[in-house]
DNA sequence: AAGCACACCTGCTAGC
DNA sequence: TGCTAGCAGGTGTGCT
């Protein structure tokens, strides 16, 4: 559920309240959240480091690390490093500004970072799909090598409709599968794919290779609009998957969903009941009269 | 070789 | 009312 707009909202919170702080102490209580390189590597990579920047690529958060760069056996490469965070399905980053240790620790808190201003950054994740790791090997834009397979980020690089059209014509898969493919665009997930399809008046089950050029261009515009509005609204917070920002506040874009989570409810455009089907294994919502 | 099924998890809910 | 089976989905892997 956390997709580009939700992760971007968390990024902005980090930018405003965490960037510039130094990590004084790291505690890992959930090994699965640090499974990529292990807790020793995370602690060694973060201890004493300055959190120098907060960027994002797709659904990945990238916190640039400054300050002393320890030559340790876990991060022998010289040059810049970054803390990479992926929230996956249920991960949350929460900032506790009260004196460290004075606020009850929520269930499923797996990593705690004590910062030099007395605040504490916590990683909470009931389903433990999310992860944190420190990596070197950043390219010129500060993107880790492990994320090299991601396509352009709609907010960072923008959406090139011509490129989207070129990619679409070579495929036989569904429009839904195309949109949630992170190599096509980084950051679009099931929810915003459905909302963009509604705005472009295209059914998610359409074969993407069968789309006309004008339809793909319409899709590019729809994606830009939906993602932009969702970011402005602070993302979507659903009933079950309760995404919240750094301060625990929900987003409000769920109040503007046209189709997602609205099965059986009237289409905002024509009143016809919204339908839900499975496309490429994903729950897909659409209006059968407005979308072709 | 692209495209698909499946595993990984826990919390919520629809349906007995 | 209480229980459980099923569903939710991002990504990595493995199979076709």
């Amino acid at each position: 559920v956390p997709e580009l707009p939700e992760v971007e909202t968390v990024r902005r919170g980090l930018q405003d309240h965490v960037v510039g702080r130094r990590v004084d102490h790291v505690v890992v209580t959930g090994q699965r959240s640090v499974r990529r390189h292990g807790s020793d590597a995370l602690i060694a990579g973060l201890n004493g480091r300055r959190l120098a920047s907060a960027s994002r690529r797709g659904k990945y958060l990238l916190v640039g690390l400054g300050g002393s760069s320890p030559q340790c056996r876990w991060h022998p490469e010289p040059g810049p490093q970054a803390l990479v965070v992926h929230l996956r399905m249920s991960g949350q980053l929460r900032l506790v500004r009260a004196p460290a240790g004075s606020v009850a620790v929520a269930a499923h808190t797996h990593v705690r970072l004590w910062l030099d201003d007395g605040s504490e950054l916590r990683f909470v994740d009931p389903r433990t799909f999310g992860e944190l790791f420190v990596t070197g090997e950043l390219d010129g834009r500060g993107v880790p090598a492990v994320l090299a397979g991601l396509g352009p980020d709609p907010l960072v690089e923008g959406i090139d409709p011509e490129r989207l059209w070129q990619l679409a014509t070579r495929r036989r898969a569904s429009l839904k599968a195309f949109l949630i493919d992170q190599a096509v665009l980084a950051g679009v997930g099931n929810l915003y794919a459905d909302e963009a399809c509604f705005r472009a008046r295209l059914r998610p089950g359409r074969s993407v290779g069968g789309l006309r050029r004008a339809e793909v261009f319409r899709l590019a515009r729809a994606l830009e609009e939906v993602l932009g509005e969702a970011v402005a609204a602070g993302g979507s917070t659903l009933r079950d998957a309760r995404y919240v920002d750094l301060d625990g506040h929900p987003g409000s874009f769920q109040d503007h969903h046209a189709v997602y989570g609205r099965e059986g409810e009237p289409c905002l455009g024509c009143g016809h009941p919204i339908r839900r089907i499975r496309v490429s294994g994903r729950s897909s919502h659409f209006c059968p009269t407005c979308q072709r």
Side-chain angles (χ1 to χ4, degrees), chain A residues 183-291:
Chain A
V184 173
L185 286 172
V188 179
N190 197 43
L191 192 162
Y192 294 103
D194 277 2
E195 290 298 319
C197 282
F198 174 81
R199 199 163 306 210
R201 308 192 307 279
L202 299 169
R203 295 196 186 198
R206 281 276 293 276
S207 164
V208 73
L211 293 179
R212 287 172 294 139
R213 184 183 158 89
E215 291 175 324
V216 174
F217 273 59
R218 218 160 72 207
L219 184 67
R221 172 68 69 91
L223 281 161
E224 280 177 348
E225 288 178 2
V226 165
L227 293 173
E229 290 169 25
V231 167
S236 301
T237 298
L238 307 173
R239 270 195 302 270
D240 52 339
R242 50 219 196 293
Y243 152 80
V244 289
D245 68 11
L246 267 195
D247 294 318
H249 298 134
S252 63
F253 194 67
Q254 65 279 2
D255 300 333
H256 303 283
H257 288 179
V259 287
Y260 191 87
R262 298 193 65 244
E263 182 186 16
E265 295 176 39
C267 171
L268 302 173
C270 73
H272 196 284
I274 298 300
R275 278 182 57 196
R276 183 165 68 101
I277 59 171
R278 288 195 84 76
V279 176
S280 298
R282 306 289 168 170
S283 178
S284 302
H285 313 70
F286 67 99
C287 171
T289 51
C290 293
Q291 293 170 260

Side-chain angles (χ1 to χ4, degrees), chain A residues 66-217:
Chain A
S68 60
S69 178
Q71 278 299 112
C72 65
R73 64 189 176 98
W74 289 289
H75 306 103
E77 332 81 41
Q81 296 168 350
L83 167 67
V84 181
V85 182
H86 198 303
L87 304 175
R88 279 304 216 285
M89 301 304 303
S90 61
Q92 297 178 350
L93 277 179
R94 301 292 297 275
L95 186 63
V96 178
R97 283 173 236 237
S102 69
V103 174
V105 179
H108 309 294
T109 298
H110 304 310
V111 179
R112 306 175 68 183
L113 307 184
W114 275 269
L115 307 180
D116 63 351
D117 62 349
S119 65
E120 184 191 334
L121 190 62
R122 296 176 179 171
F123 181 71
V124 184
D125 186 13
R127 296 174 69 175
T128 70
F129 284 2
E131 65 169 331
L132 302 84
F133 61 95
V134 171
T135 184
E137 303 183 86
L138 307 183
D139 69 16
R141 292 171 304 177
V143 177
V146 287
L147 307 186
L150 292 179
D153 184 286
L155 247 59
V156 179
E157 282 111 359
I159 298 175
D160 177 4
E162 192 63 46
R163 172 181 170 275
L164 217 55
W165 163 243
Q166 292 299 330
L167 287 174
T169 52
R170 291 161 203 199
R171 298 213 181 190
R172 224 170 305 125
S174 66
L175 177 52
K176 167 59 69 73
F178 181 72
L179 286 174
I180 65 177
D181 183 345
Q182 300 300 292
V184 173
L185 286 172
V188 179
N190 197 43
L191 192 162
Y192 294 103
D194 277 2
E195 290 298 319
C197 282
F198 174 81
R199 199 163 306 210
R201 308 192 307 279
L202 299 169
R203 295 196 186 198
R206 281 276 293 276
S207 164
V208 73
L211 293 179
R212 287 172 294 139
R213 184 183 158 89
E215 291 175 324
V216 174
F217 273 59

